[in-house]
Amino acid sequence: AAPRPAHGCGSGALLGRFGVLLQALLALCAFSTLMLKRFKEPKAERRPWRIWFYDTSKQAIGALFIHFANVFLSDLTEEDPCSLYLINFILDATLGMLLIWLGVKVVSWIVQHKKYTYLVFGEYGDPPQAAAWIGQCILYLLIMVFEKTVISLVLLIPGWTKLQQILLGYIPSPQLELVLVMFVVPFIVNAIMFWVVDSLIMRKYKQKDALDINGSTETPRARRTEESQVLLSPDMDFDQSESDQDIPGLWGTSQKMKQPSYQVVI
């Protein structure tokens, strides 16, 4: 067996029993934020469960790919795989997040330019088609592969080894280091990343609800504002309109009253 280092987790600790338990707990807690995000959406714009599953499953596939890629890259070292995993994770959450945003924007522009309707992120047809979901999953996975490739090239820059030695060197307990690296830090960062990426790849309902009325675009909020202005208008307007409508009727009645009446006497 490989000798355990003086501090930090040893080789293979990420795939040990305790490490796998922490990863399962991390997946459960991290994806619960996506469910919380669905319930935080307005009721008028809340996604059905099937659409929500199609949106979040793309992130699940991408996150699993990034996670296992980080575990594989971190286990290549025999010194402290936990610190290397943390470096990978921090780069994924910073530079990687920028690359994901850029990749989603570029892919969305290409898909819209080519008019591939079912490959637009968040659009699955009516009724939703599984083929559209599969195509979008493939596109999102390609973005993840591009992001991880760039991050791996960045790690080849000299200087990361020194950072790896001092990053978690002050923690003497291997299990505590494993908890920090595999649960605490990833949970906080993943919750933010899932929330942001879900907003990027979900359907923009606010843009879809705009209606074209007489050549002008009127949003539901504008319609509600217009209705509220009508409801809050003074009662005198209604009285005046009603009185204006009744004037011809009253004039006609007065004219009838002024007309002479004739009585036939036999």
Side-chain angles (χ1 to χ4, degrees), residues 9 11 25-26 32 53 58 65 84 142 146 152-154 156 170 178 190 224 238 241 253 257:
C9 57
S11 179
L25 185 61
L26 170 65
S32 64
F53 171 77
K58 292 196 289 286
F65 169 77
L84 184 57
L142 290 176
F146 165 74
S152 300
L153 294 176
V154 171
L156 296 178
Y170 58 90
L178 199 59
N190 273 330
R224 289 196 298 268
F238 294 100
S241 61
T253 305
M257 293 176 63

Side-chain angles (χ1 to χ4, degrees), residues 120-132:
V120 177
F121 287 122
E123 297 289 345
Y124 307 102
D126 188 17
Q129 303 292 327

Side-chain angles (χ1 to χ4, degrees), residues 14 35 42 56 60 100 166:
L14 300 180
M35 187 174 295
T56 55
I100 293 172
I166 64 175

Side-chain angles (χ1 to χ4, degrees), residues 60-81:
I61 295 173
L64 287 175
F65 169 77
I66 295 296
H67 172 74
F68 286 114
N70 289 340
V71 171
F72 172 76
L73 293 174
S74 303
D75 209 32
L76 295 178
T77 180
E78 296 181 357
E79 297 180 359
D80 188 4

Side-chain angles (χ1 to χ4, degrees), residues 74-109:
S74 303
D75 209 32
L76 295 178
T77 180
E78 296 181 357
E79 297 180 359
D80 188 4
C82 289
S83 60
L84 184 57
Y85 179 88
L86 186 60
I87 292 175
N88 275 277
F89 188 80
I90 292 175
L91 288 175
D92 288 330
T94 53
L95 177 60
M97 190 66 199
L98 178 61
L99 294 173
I100 293 172
W101 176 83
L102 182 63
V104 170
K105 292 297 182 181
V106 171
V107 169
S108 299
W109 181 84

